[in-house]
Amino acid sequence: VIGLAYIALFVGAGVIAPDAYVRSVAQFWIGDLIGVVVATPLLLVATRAHAPAYRAAPREGILQAASVVAALYLVFGSGVGQELKLFYVLFLPLTWIAMRRGLAGTTAATLLVQIGLIAALLFGGHAPGEALDFQFLMLALALTGLFLGVSVDERRAAEAKLRAKQAELDRSLRAAAASELASTLAHE
């Protein structure tokens, strides 16, 4: 509703042509949705009480950030001119980061990609009509990364619970064996 009213004000003021209303509303709405999809998980991860169980080496983090920057350069700065087709290259470093760092790393990487995308669109001389295509690709990238990051975190949590249960079972089996040994010795 806000997007409809906001763009209607621009149309009424003559800043946006009436025939561009629907596309402008879609672009405004998808831009806000991407902002929510990128910012909300980042804020939730940053404010959660417990620290993530997995900590990667700092060198790996630097390599991961560099891979995101390199992918952004390949897509937008290399001069190939096929940015929409090359956008899928950005899935590679995001997948690597999600698999190694879970949701916390994925949210940071998604923010880095979003900032790079905004900078590329602002300073790359792209036509205003291309922004909507890039926004949909960014939404797909962000959602894929977040789902993968959540899956990795859930898998790690399940593995930790399984290890804890296994350790508890091992303690119980040792206690049962000691009890059986004590019983046998008492009988003898």
Side-chain angles (χ1 to χ4, degrees):
V1 171
I2 292 171
L4 294 170
Y6 186 74
I7 300 301
L9 287 173
F10 279 107
V11 169
V15 176
I16 295 176
D19 59 336
Y21 178 76
V22 173
R23 185 167 181 86
S24 297
V25 168
Q27 190 169 343
F28 182 86
W29 180 79
I30 195 76
D32 279 356
L33 180 62
I34 291 170
V36 169
V37 167
V38 170
T40 303
L42 183 67
L43 293 173
L44 290 173
V45 165
T47 59
R48 69 179 163 185
H50 64 293
Y54 176 76
R55 299 237 186 250
R59 188 178 81 218
E60 183 181 15
I62 292 168
L63 287 173
Q64 289 171 337
S67 71
V68 171
V69 172
L72 283 166
Y73 177 77
L74 177 67
V75 173
F76 294 106
S78 64
V80 175
Q82 298 284 328
E83 289 96 352
L84 286 171
K85 290 181 180 178
L86 290 175
F87 192 87
Y88 296 100
V89 170
L90 292 168
F91 280 88
L92 299 173
L94 189 67
T95 301
W96 176 30
I97 293 167
M99 294 302 293
R100 295 289 291 162
R101 295 185 178 262
L103 185 61
T106 303
T107 57
T110 304
L111 178 65
L112 182 61
V113 171
Q114 177 68 16
I115 291 169
L117 176 63
I118 291 169
L121 291 177
L122 285 176
F123 303 117
H126 292 279
E130 290 179 334
L132 187 62
D133 298 331
F134 284 113
Q135 286 175 319
F136 275 113
L137 289 172
M138 182 63 208
L139 181 61
L141 179 73
L143 290 175
T144 302
L146 291 174
F147 285 135
L148 186 57
V150 167
S151 298
V152 168
D153 281 356
E154 289 297 317
R155 187 195 81 223
R156 286 186 184 144
E159 288 172 352
K161 282 183 183 178
L162 182 62
R163 281 191 300 274
K165 291 289 185 185
Q166 185 65 39
E168 183 180 330
L169 179 63
D170 289 345
R171 282 190 301 275
S172 297
L173 289 174
R174 281 193 303 272
S179 174
E180 185 178 333
L181 180 63
S183 174
T184 303
L185 285 175
H187 179 71
E188 290 299 319

